[in-house]
Amino acid sequence: MKEKGNMHHAFAVHLRGIRELHRVSPRFFPILTLHSLFDAITPYVTVFFSARILKELAMLRRADILWKWVAAGVLCTGFTSVLKAVLWRRYNTLLSDLWGRKEILFIRKMFSLDFSELDRQENHDLRAQIRQNENWASWGLMRVQEVYAYFVSGVTGILSGIALTVSLFVLPVPASAGRLTVLNSPIFILALAVLMAAVSILAGKFTAAAMKGWSDAAQEATFGNRLFRHFGFIGLDKERSADIRMNDQQNLVNAYWDKNSSFGADGHIGKLALGKMGVYASLGVCITTLITGSIYVFTCLKAWGGAFDVGSITQYVGAAAAMVSNIFALVGLMGTLETNTGYLDKTFEFLDIPGAMYQGSLTTEKRSDRRYEIEFRDVSFKYPGSESWALRHVNLKFRVGSRLAIVGENGSGKTTFIKLLCRLYDPQEGQILLNGIDIRKYRYDDYMNLFSVVFQDFQLIAQPLGANVAGGMEYDRDRARRALIDAGFGERLETMDKGLDTMLYKILSEDGVEISGGEAQKIAIARALYKDAPLIILDEPTAALDPIAEAEIYSRFDEIAGDKTAIYISHRLSSCKFCDEIAVFHKGRIIQKGSHDVLAADEAGKYHELWTAQAQYYTAE
Ligand code: ADP
């Protein structure tokens, strides 16, 4: 864990934490503040009234006033207690809510990250680490609210304590007390203040040392959590259960549980808690009792000398004890603050990942003639962190309305080509041009709107069918229905009682429908049709369809695509026959271009090799 000992930095990141949490849950901090205030004041209310009542009982014995003090005491303590209880409930509800809401910060960040950053393993590791730290001991953002609560109640408690103990120092011991009048000297106030400061600093050091144990254990805990997540739920995993039972894999899982000691009493963390952390924490508590003891002695001596009555003794001693516990909590808080700063640094490192992608300002003129021409000019690209070129010197030009097929073996760069075209990544060399202008110069969202893409690994969301097709909860139902019918989903739609409102999957709703891989692909295609963008890309989305269904979709697609530009990536070459142009990728380069007839006739070419390999397959079929 990176140590940033600087208190200024610690306060700054915690303040930012408060601001971020306040943004996602505006009601949380006002309630927490009120609760912490009342929590801090309650003990002093009791102390104040007890002192008054005791004084009446022991000395003045005025029945009418005694009753008034009793009534006022009961009312005030009752009122603060009830209010505290109400606020506590509210606080707890909002706290559970905050656990979920803070995820919004991460989710929004993930949605707005550059795609290349989303793809970067270090960012995934960082997010996983933040989550682990949150889960194992609420380190990070959730600690911020605790720090805040302790801070508010600590400061309020100390101020209330001072208010109730001022007279302890101010009221003089009468001259008749003889030598005890020495207690009137300001030196005693000074001595108590120095003792308080010294003990606070020392106690702070001990508590901070105990807290540091958490950081020392963080790595072990992160690893322990990772193992726990894997081995703890493996038995519930539907996809694994048959395999585990049939292959006696439970022995491997049990071996983990037999040996696992991350969170056990004998593990590293358990030993830390019992040993180093425990000793430091107890030392911290021990020395704070020094202050309480000193105040007791001072109070009793002054009372003995006749400075004040028995009721006041209760007040001073009670207030002093409450104040000391507040000082101790506040000092301990500094340790927590320092430790949590390292965890918050990680959180903000993630939330502050910069957007590196150049954002242009040109609009992609909404051309009514839909004349868009795309050109790849000597484009080369490596994935972040990769040594080898995924695409090398790619040159390709295609016009609006044309049908382009991209073929090639696995790993030849087809998907990468599409990702660059959609500006999910920017190439390191060369340019991609739209109507002669580098695509980086266009506004990003504007440019993205030119494409409808169905990726190989498309994903649908557990929301209604129609909303999935439209990509929003409000949509044009006729268009969505049309798109589904065009994508070949019409017959299945007929069988659905709730039609477009049918919930997909059972994750959110009991009467949701589970759909087959082929049906999901048709919905994904309908989604692309609904978007009605001038360029449509199908990146092998038909792998789960049988050859007949696939051929049907492709020929129908050709019809639907109309004047749009369509790019197909297909592993079945027969589906590309109707395309105007076919580009053959091999090891990141385009090695052949042309129509099916021309390419198939070139017996020395890659296309011919792929075609004959598949033709055999189709003939056999
Ligand atoms: P295809 O779509 O033709 O199967 P890809 O475009 O997916 O091929 O892959 C081209 C090359 O880039 C392959 O060598 C692949 O291993 C590599 N590659 C693909 N995705 C990534 C990634 N996210 N990070 C690093 N390398 C990748």
Side-chain angles (χ1 to χ4, degrees), residues 119 383-384 386 390 408-417 419 425 456:
D119 227 16
Y383 279 96
S386 170
E409 291 163 356
N410 282 340
S412 57
K414 304 183 296 290
T415 299
T416 309
F417 173 81
K419 285 184 176 165
Y425 295 94
Q456 226 171 94

Side-chain angles (χ1 to χ4, degrees), residues 569-581:
I569 297 186
S570 177
H571 55 303
R572 293 194 185 113
L573 300 192
S574 56
S575 316
C576 312
K577 265 166 90 173
F578 62 86
C579 287
D580 306 304
E581 183 158 57

